[in-house]
Amino acid sequence: MKYIGIIPTIIVRRNSIYHIVDHNLIKFIKKCFPKHHLEILIDRKEIKKISLIISTGGNSIVSINKGRANKIRKLMDDYYFTYAYKNNISYLGICHGAQHVAKYFKSQIIKKKNHTKKNHSIFFKSMSGSVKVNSYHDYSIKKLPKKLNTLAYTKDGSIEAFKHKNKKILGVMWHPERYKKFKKFDLNFLKKYL
């Protein structure tokens, strides 16, 4: 059986650390990859059977907010991304996860106004027309290094999806799991690149 590892959102309250995974994300992943078993990654450990690691939304990258939860999340993201990269394991970054991957490769991330809790059109370099997606982020990816290729962008030039040139690493800034009915486009898009 194949496994998918999910890096959860971290919340710190008083002296407690909570690892949170949106139930809709679990349902979305099961719909997209029905033959895989899901494992929530709550500590840094070597995982031999994992074929895909997903870094979820939530949290902020540490360069933007140095809070304790974000520092804990960065340790987890760093560990699992490095593990995936070295072992050729597919990797999906959703929103925060995409920003983490972009930052790892020294991409430019900027503050963006009027980008949170909105729907907007994104345009793909490989197809004509546009697709409407949701947006829940205050920061956008503006520029990528040569190792990453832009797949989708907004009218203002914000990068909404990218992939690594040589590895199965995909970043998306929208949340495909946050729709009441999952979009066929999102399911097909992830399957195509992962």
Side-chain angles (χ1 to χ4, degrees), residues 57-184:
N59 295 112
S60 293
I61 56 175
V62 171
S63 61
I64 293 167
N65 181 326
K66 294 182 180 1
R68 184 173 174 214
N70 297 326
K71 287 179 180 178
I72 294 168
R73 176 67 187 271
K74 183 180 184 326
L75 290 173
M76 293 177 72
D77 281 325
D78 285 348
Y79 176 81
Y80 285 111
F81 181 75
T82 301
Y83 184 82
Y85 193 79
K86 286 181 179 176
N87 292 286
N88 289 317
I89 295 170
S90 296
Y91 195 92
L92 169 63
I94 299 173
C95 197
H96 163 85
Q99 290 178 2
H100 178 267
V101 172
K103 195 71 174 165
Y104 178 89
F105 289 105
K106 301 187 181 353
S107 302
Q108 182 183 12
I109 297 175
I110 61 168
K111 178 94 170 148
K112 202 68 164 170
K113 290 183 181 179
N114 300 317
H115 223 67
T116 306
K117 296 183 182 176
K118 303 218 178 223
N119 290 318
H120 60 243
S121 295
I122 60 173
F123 305 88
F124 289 83
K125 290 193 167 192
S126 63
M127 63 184 224
S128 60
S130 64
V131 175
K132 279 257 192 212
V133 297
N134 57 37
S135 180
Y136 292 95
H137 50 275
D138 293 320
Y139 288 81
S140 294
I141 302 166
K142 191 66 179 171
K143 188 176 180 185
L144 295 172
K146 291 180 181 178
K147 286 186 179 182
L148 303 177
N149 288 331
T150 299
L151 298 175
Y153 55 92
T154 60
K155 280 185 181 178
D156 67 9
S158 296
I159 296 165
E160 289 286 321
F162 62 84
K163 70 177 186 71
H164 192 278
K165 282 187 177 180
N166 304 314
K167 295 185 179 267
K168 287 193 172 186
I169 297 170
L170 176 67
V172 297
M173 289 298 292
W174 69 94
H175 288 262
E177 79 280 6
R178 289 193 183 173
Y179 295 103
K180 287 182 182 177
K181 185 177 178 185
F182 301 134
K183 292 184 174 185
K184 189 174 181 180

Side-chain angles (χ1 to χ4, degrees), residues 10-60:
I10 304 297
I11 296 174
V12 175
R13 290 204 179 113
R14 297 186 187 127
N15 291 326
S16 297
I17 298 170
Y18 298 92
H19 299 82
I20 309 295
V21 176
D22 185 337
H23 184 66
N24 281 340
L25 177 64
I26 292 170
K27 290 192 325 191
F28 177 78
I29 295 167
K30 285 184 176 182
K31 179 96 173 166
C32 198
F33 304 102
K35 296 182 179 178
H36 287 65
H37 177 73
L38 303 181
E39 182 173 331
I40 298 170
L41 306 172
I42 59 172
D43 57 8
R44 295 182 297 163
K45 59 183 176 180
E46 187 174 333
I47 298 164
K48 301 219 183 262
K49 295 180 183 178
I50 293 227
S51 58
L52 169 63
I53 295 175
I54 299 173
S55 179
T56 62
N59 295 112
S60 293

